[in-house]
Amino acid sequence: MDWQAWFALAVTVTTIILLVFSKIRTSVVLMGSLTTLLVSGVLTGPEAFSGFSNPGVITIGALFVVAAGMYSSGAIDMLTSRILGYTSSTRTAIMRIVRPVFLLSGFLNNTPVVATMIPAIHAWSNRISIAPSKLMIPLSYASIFGGMLTMIGTSTNLVVNGQYQALTGSEGFGMFDITLIGLPVALVCITFMWLTFPKLLPDRSDKSAFSDLREFTLEVAVAMNGPLVGKTIEQAGLRNLQRIYLIEIERRGTVLTAVNPTEKLLGGDRLVFAGDTAAISDLLRINGIVPAPAGEEEALMTPNTGRALVEAVVSPHCSVIGSAIRDTRFRDRYGAAILAVARHGQRLKGNLGGIQLKAGDTLLLEARSDFVNRQKHSKEFLLVNDLETESPHHEKALFA
């Protein structure tokens, strides 16, 4: 071999070592290797950049857009609630992922299946309090095992079949010719995964959510004529929420406390919850739950495009200190609506609209995207933090 071959081999080995043993980001390692080969003359310019025009790379990039649309429209939540359901067992969760992904991957390319399911599995793992690190590898492996079922299950099968045809001149393999071998192998691998992965895979759950001791009080409403009307608390998925719990229901001037899970929801019901920020974000993604800002019921009927959740701490110089939330005209004054309040890390009792704001109160706001930039250096708030969470556009879920 000439020096270019040895140099390329050395760069390849170094790349693998860095990927396995170093903490350098994958993108930095790979781009560094590409740049090294380009500068050294081993690769020409067109050769170095040809990978970026590869149909596979473009397909993956496009699929991330599709996956983002699935998440933003709430289609992901629809998928997880109807297909995956609820479980507290890691083994059961693995099998609920494996079944649909395994079957889909037999007839669809692995890449779109995994790219579409990643945000769904991540959201589902948060809902059932199982670390995503326990479920992502089973998701990937299930798609690989499914790809062994048919000739079109993965692009690798098609490449090998094409090479076989070119070398032998035969017609190649049929659709299910590899199923006889692939199915038993896949079942053995799935069984091994089911038995060992719950213990082998690390628990890398985000502990920061539990270290946040602030407990917000949040009021939301059941959308009129929405999908939750007529359903019980349990059927609506409001019974097994993590890190957030239903305190009471306000219905036509009557307050229902210690709510029974069999209580049926009515359109316009105000639901009072207590919980942390991450849990509130998950609650607002449920189709049929709408924000109920204090004293601003008309806001429920306005489109929420471009709105996001923002945390803000009231400063001693804020002009609304001492005023009840319903009297602050907060939306007109700041272009945001108060969804929840926390004080000294504890939830506040009573109606949200009647809470009198004090310096140091932490507010959870629904605001336009420019709110953070406008208020970051304002004396009204000590801290403004964009949670980078938008309410889903459920009306576009089926289209997505």
Side-chain angles (χ1 to χ4, degrees), residues 68-90:
M70 293 279 286
Y71 182 80
S72 297
S73 65
I76 288 295
D77 303 290
M78 183 189 303
L79 180 70
T80 55
S81 61
R82 294 187 179 182
I83 297 180
L84 301 180
Y86 178 84
T87 180
S88 58
S89 167
T90 302

Side-chain angles (χ1 to χ4, degrees), residues 19 21 41 115 133 141 169 174 177 199-200 205 222 238 243 253 257 274 282 291 311 322 335 347 359 395:
L19 290 173
F21 296 106
S133 57
Y141 284 12
D177 284 353
K199 292 186 178 297
L200 290 178
S205 54
V222 177
L238 303 177
R243 296 167 296 164
T257 58
D282 292 339
E311 269 187 338
R347 71 178 184 86
E395 69 278 3

Side-chain angles (χ1 to χ4, degrees), residues 4-21:
Q4 289 94 340
W6 286 109
F7 187 79
L9 184 61
V11 170
T12 302
V13 172
T14 302
T15 300
I16 294 173
I17 292 173
L18 290 176
L19 290 173
V20 174
F21 296 106

